[in-house]
Amino acid sequence: MFSFNPPRAFLEGVALDCSGDIAFVSHAHADHAARSKKTIASDETIELLKARGYKVGERHHNGFSMLEAGHVLGSRLLLAEKDGTRALYAPDFRTDDGFTTKAAKPVECDELLVGTTFGSPEYVFPERMQTYSEIQKWVAAEREKGIVVLGGYALGKAQELIACLNEMGIAPLVNEDVAKVSDVYRKHGVKLDYLTPDGAEGEKELARNFVAVLPFNKVNSVLAANLWRLYGKMVHIGLATGWAGKRPMDADRVFCLSDHCDFPHLVEFVEQTGAKKVYTTHGFDAGFARCLREKGIDAQPAFGR
Ligand SMILES: [Zn+2]
């Protein structure tokens, strides 16, 4: 059912996370926010796209099923069924529960187009709850000494970090980018407690050894130096990313936390779908397809590598 017209994948005339007349937007991360006249997406994704300043085409429903992807609020997989053949599009997903997301569940299909961001054997993530407990211990210790800033993507990771801090009784300060996304989470029933610096409570918090959650690209040694100059306190910065230990990071501490599957979970997901034909896309698409072929699964990169 899949046919490919690089660099766009079409599923029965639907553009998958890329521009087209009718586009399926799996979730509201910038690299998936496609322009289209008509948009297939969850309610949460539509609201997040609008909150983040994207134009959204008219809502469209074509009978395809959208399934939980466990990546960020509103993230979905797309399942299409025609003439007894089932095709599943699974771009960014995770197969265990987080504080703010429910796990993606594999469904049986004939053809699968799967995202392979971390589709290489060296990517094996620790248990998510183990990482959360490391973050909590680190924050508790460093907060005794000064200011603590955690960085993660404004959509998804930041809300997991807020929930992680809420568990230890901390309502972190957040900036506008994180607040406007978190407001949508709250609206959809996710309990998150955070402060913005412009409110009375936020101002009071700034006078203490505060904890902040900011977008990943804003958290670095320059920010730490600026905060130190401004508040005259020690500043400790931590980052949360699946690339921990694999890429250089400008932080005191880097925690391995991803909203994607690691390699073993990707393989497990593919096997559990029972797909007879697998296409891979993003990240380690060629290498992951090769690993699947070694297991006897018919697999190839979607875009002719
Ligand atoms: Zn994503």
Short mmCIF file of all heavy atoms in Angstrom, two decimals, residues 27 29 31-32 71-72 92 259-260, ligand 1:
data_model
loop_
_atom_site.label_atom_id
_atom_site.label_comp_id
_atom_site.label_asym_id
_atom_site.label_seq_id
_atom_site.Cartn_x
_atom_site.Cartn_y
_atom_site.Cartn_z
N HIS A 27 2.66 14.32 15.10
CA HIS A 27 2.77 15.05 16.37
C HIS A 27 3.32 16.44 16.08
O HIS A 27 3.68 16.75 14.94
CB HIS A 27 3.64 14.29 17.36
CG HIS A 27 5.07 14.10 16.93
ND1 HIS A 27 5.44 13.23 15.94
CD2 HIS A 27 6.22 14.70 17.35
CE1 HIS A 27 6.75 13.28 15.78
NE2 HIS A 27 7.26 14.17 16.62
N HIS A 29 6.07 18.20 16.90
CA HIS A 29 7.48 18.63 16.81
C HIS A 29 7.71 19.32 15.47
O HIS A 29 7.09 18.96 14.46
CB HIS A 29 8.42 17.42 16.94
CG HIS A 29 8.70 17.05 18.37
ND1 HIS A 29 9.02 15.77 18.76
CD2 HIS A 29 8.72 17.81 19.50
CE1 HIS A 29 9.22 15.76 20.08
NE2 HIS A 29 9.04 16.98 20.54
N ASP A 31 9.89 19.23 13.12
CA ASP A 31 10.26 18.49 11.91
C ASP A 31 9.11 17.64 11.37
O ASP A 31 9.26 16.96 10.36
CB ASP A 31 11.52 17.63 12.15
CG ASP A 31 11.37 16.68 13.32
OD1 ASP A 31 10.55 16.96 14.21
OD2 ASP A 31 12.08 15.66 13.35
N HIS A 32 7.97 17.67 12.03
CA HIS A 32 6.80 16.92 11.54
C HIS A 32 5.63 17.85 11.21
O HIS A 32 4.60 17.38 10.72
CB HIS A 32 6.37 15.88 12.59
CG HIS A 32 7.38 14.80 12.77
ND1 HIS A 32 7.24 13.53 12.26
CD2 HIS A 32 8.59 14.82 13.39
CE1 HIS A 32 8.31 12.81 12.56
NE2 HIS A 32 9.14 13.57 13.25
N HIS A 71 4.90 9.27 22.36
CA HIS A 71 6.09 10.10 22.12
C HIS A 71 5.95 11.44 22.84
O HIS A 71 6.79 11.78 23.68
CB HIS A 71 6.22 10.26 20.61
CG HIS A 71 7.33 11.12 20.13
ND1 HIS A 71 8.65 10.87 20.43
CD2 HIS A 71 7.33 12.24 19.34
CE1 HIS A 71 9.41 11.79 19.86
NE2 HIS A 71 8.63 12.64 19.20
N VAL A 72 4.91 12.19 22.52
CA VAL A 72 4.56 13.43 23.22
C VAL A 72 3.03 13.49 23.25
O VAL A 72 2.37 12.67 22.61
CB VAL A 72 5.11 14.69 22.50
CG1 VAL A 72 6.63 14.66 22.44
CG2 VAL A 72 4.53 14.84 21.09
N ASP A 92 7.69 8.62 15.15
CA ASP A 92 8.32 8.79 16.46
C ASP A 92 7.41 8.15 17.51
O ASP A 92 6.25 8.55 17.64
CB ASP A 92 8.48 10.28 16.78
CG ASP A 92 9.48 10.97 15.86
OD1 ASP A 92 9.99 10.30 14.94
OD2 ASP A 92 9.75 12.17 16.06
N ASP A 259 12.28 10.39 24.20
CA ASP A 259 10.87 10.06 23.97
C ASP A 259 10.73 9.19 22.72
O ASP A 259 9.66 9.08 22.13
CB ASP A 259 9.98 11.32 23.93
CG ASP A 259 10.63 12.48 23.24
OD1 ASP A 259 11.50 12.22 22.39
OD2 ASP A 259 10.27 13.64 23.51
N HIS A 260 11.86 8.57 22.34
CA HIS A 260 11.87 7.57 21.26
C HIS A 260 12.19 6.20 21.85
O HIS A 260 12.78 6.10 22.92
CB HIS A 260 12.98 7.88 20.25
CG HIS A 260 12.74 9.10 19.42
ND1 HIS A 260 12.14 9.05 18.19
CD2 HIS A 260 13.04 10.40 19.64
CE1 HIS A 260 12.08 10.27 17.68
NE2 HIS A 260 12.62 11.11 18.54
ZN ZN B 1 9.21 13.94 17.56
#
